């Protein structure tokens, strides 16, 4: 059975937990979430940091009303 057509639905709690995890990692790397987001604006980050920024914004979007 192919899983390419399956859609994963996340609970709000799962999204909150993932957001906390991503924020903690951004804070570890940059010292604070604010500094991380400032660094993002400079476009001066590696691929792993780009993934974190992307995930942070995706989760924030999904949690927004």
């Amino acid at each position: 059975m192919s899983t390419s057509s399956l859609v994963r639905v996340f609970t709000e709690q799962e999204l909150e937990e993932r957001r906390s995890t991503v924020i903690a990692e951004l804070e570890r790397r940059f010292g604070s979430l604010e500094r991380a987001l400032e660094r993002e604006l400079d476009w001066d980050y590696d691929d792993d940091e780009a993934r974190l920024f992307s995930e942070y914004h995706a989760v924030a979007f999904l949690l927004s009303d």
Side-chain angles (χ1 to χ4, degrees):
M1 177 179 166
S2 173
T3 59
S4 63
S5 62
L6 295 179
V7 175
R8 169 81 159 88
V9 176
F10 295 94
T11 65
E12 186 172 348
Q13 180 180 352
E14 288 172 315
L15 291 172
E16 291 283 356
E17 289 170 2
R18 187 60 195 153
R19 178 172 63 179
S20 293
T21 300
V22 171
I23 289 173
E25 181 61 19
L26 288 169
E27 290 174 338
R28 185 187 71 75
R29 289 175 184 240
F30 297 101
S32 71
L33 179 59
E34 292 76 23
R35 274 197 226 147
L37 296 176
E38 288 171 4
R39 176 82 174 267
E40 181 186 24
L41 294 175
D42 292 339
W43 293 89
D44 182 25
Y45 46 84
D46 63 29
D47 289 343
D48 193 45
E49 291 163 346
R51 180 191 56 75
L52 284 170
F53 290 133
S54 178
E55 190 165 0
Y56 169 77
H57 291 295
V59 171
F61 173 78
L62 291 171
L63 288 169
S64 66
D65 288 336

